[in-house]
Amino acid sequence: MTETFQPLQETDPAEVGGYRLAARLGAGGMGRVYLSHTEGGRPVAVKVVRPELADDPDFRKRFAREVRAARRVRGAYTAEVLDADPDCAQPWLATLYVPGPSLAQAVARRGPLPVPALLWLMAGTAEALRAIHAEGIVHRDLKPSNVLLASDGPRVIDFGIALAADATAHTATGHPLGTPAYMAPEQASLQQVTAATDVFALAQTAAFAALGSPLYGDGPGVDVLYRIIHSAPELTRLPEPLRPLLARCLATDPAARPAPAEIVDWCRQRLGADGAPAVWREIGVPEAEVPPPVP
C-alpha cells in the first residue's frame, strides 16, 4: 500500500455498520478513518468515533444533530455524507472517498501553489462553503487538512462534524473551538460564530497554500490567537493578484467580509472560462491506486 493507505492493525475492526474495512486512511480529533466500499464498489471513507467520546451522552446528542445537518449538504466541492449511525456502541459516519491528498500534504510535498491554482482552490472551496451554509451549517474548522485535492478540484470535508468532538473537549474549559492558526478574531475571542467566520478561515487556508506556512505564524496557540485578534495580517508576502480579495476576507468586522458567492465570481472572472482544468493540473497531484473492496 502507499502512504495514503495503511494496513489494518489487530486492534482495528474488520467491519463497521456493514462496511468491510480495507485500509486505514488516518486519524483526527474525533476518531480513526478507514477506507471501505459501497455494495456497488464505490470507495468511501468511514470515520469511527473514539471510545472516550462515544461514552459521552452530550457528544452523542451533538454528533447526531450535526450528522443530520451534514447529510443534507449537496455540493460539487464537498465530500457528501452517505451514511451514519450515531446511536451504536461506537458511532460512525461514511462519506464519499476523495482520491487525493489534503492541501496540507500537497503543500508539504511540492511547496506553495501558483496563482491560477490558488484562484481555483478559493473558488471551489468558496462554492463548498456556499452549499454548507445553505443548510444552516458553519464549518468552524476549515483548514488545509480539511481541504482535499481531487483531480478536478478541491473538496471540503468535516463540515460541522468537528464541532461535536471539539465542544466535548473544550467547552467546559472555556477554550475556543477550532484550530488556532485558522480561526477568525470573533472565534478566537469566544464571540458569535457565523458563516463569515468560515470566510476568514478560507482566506487563511488560501494564504497557507500561497506561502507554505500559516499567515499569522507558528508557535503556541495562545500566541497565534493573540496575533489574530490584535494584529493586522502581513499581506505583502502574498501574491499581489490575490491581496485585494484576501484583505476583504480577513476584515476584523465579519460584516465587511464578502459572501462565498462573491468570492466564487471574483476568482472565476480572473481564471477565464476554460482555465480551471489546466491550472489545476499544474499542481500535479498524483492519484494513489485505491485498494479493492474486501470480499
Side-chain angles (χ1 to χ4, degrees):
M1 291 185 185
T2 69
E3 60 181 302
T4 302
F5 306 108
Q6 303 163 4
L8 295 176
Q9 306 297 315
E10 291 184 1
T11 55
D12 292 323
E15 179 182 326
V16 173
Y19 291 93
R20 296 283 296 176
L21 305 184
R24 281 187 177 191
L25 289 174
M30 195 180 75
R32 189 166 293 282
V33 187
Y34 299 94
L35 174 74
S36 185
H37 298 79
T38 64
E39 291 183 359
R42 190 169 189 182
V44 296
V46 179
K47 179 169 288 189
V48 181
V49 169
R50 299 200 319 262
E52 58 268 32
L53 290 175
D55 291 338
D56 187 320
D58 290 335
F59 166 81
R60 283 182 173 273
K61 293 177 183 177
R62 281 190 294 268
F63 182 65
R65 183 176 63 247
E66 297 299 326
V67 165
R68 284 195 299 270
R71 292 186 75 166
R72 297 195 302 266
V73 175
R74 297 290 184 271
Y77 297 99
T78 62
E80 182 180 340
V81 177
L82 300 176
D83 200 357
D85 188 349
D87 301 318
C88 66
Q90 200 162 359
W92 58 272
L93 78 155
T95 66
L96 286 178
Y97 170 71
V98 178
S102 70
L103 176 61
Q105 292 170 327
V107 171
R109 290 171 184 167
R110 70 169 309 282
L113 273 56
V115 169
L118 289 167
L119 288 169
W120 187 234
L121 171 75
M122 290 193 70
T125 306
E127 192 164 317
L129 288 180
R130 182 164 58 177
I132 293 166
H133 296 163
E135 296 300 333
I137 300 173
V138 178
H139 194 299
R140 298 171 183 262
D141 198 23
L142 182 65
K143 56 187 177 182
S145 60
N146 279 337
V147 179
L148 304 183
L149 305 186
S151 60
D152 59 348
R155 298 289 189 278
V156 173
I157 63 172
D158 280 358
F159 37 91
I161 303 300
L163 171 63
D166 286 346
T168 300
H170 302 304
T171 296
T173 65
H175 293 166
L177 311 181
T179 302
Y182 299 95
M183 286 186 184
E186 66 273 14
Q187 187 177 15
S189 55
L190 297 175
Q191 298 177 26
Q192 184 179 9
V193 172
T194 67
T197 303
D198 287 343
V199 171
F200 195 100
L202 166 59
Q204 291 169 301
T205 298
F208 169 84
L211 299 172
S213 60
L215 180 61
Y216 287 87
D218 296 304
V222 64
D223 294 342
V224 175
L225 294 178
Y226 183 88
R227 291 193 291 269
I228 289 174
I229 295 172
H230 298 287
S231 304
E234 180 52 70
L235 299 182
T236 57
R237 297 185 297 139
L238 296 169
E240 193 279 331
L242 297 179
R243 292 177 199 168
L245 178 62
L246 293 182
R248 294 182 59 205
C249 294
L250 293 167
T252 302
D253 180 7
R257 299 169 199 157
E262 186 178 350
I263 297 172
V264 173
D265 290 343
W266 193 95
C267 293
R268 294 267 167 84
Q269 287 174 7
R270 284 152 183 80
L271 276 170
D274 55 2
V279 301
W280 198 248
R281 282 194 294 271
E282 291 180 25
I283 299 177
V285 177
E287 286 194 18
E289 183 177 349
V290 179
V294 176

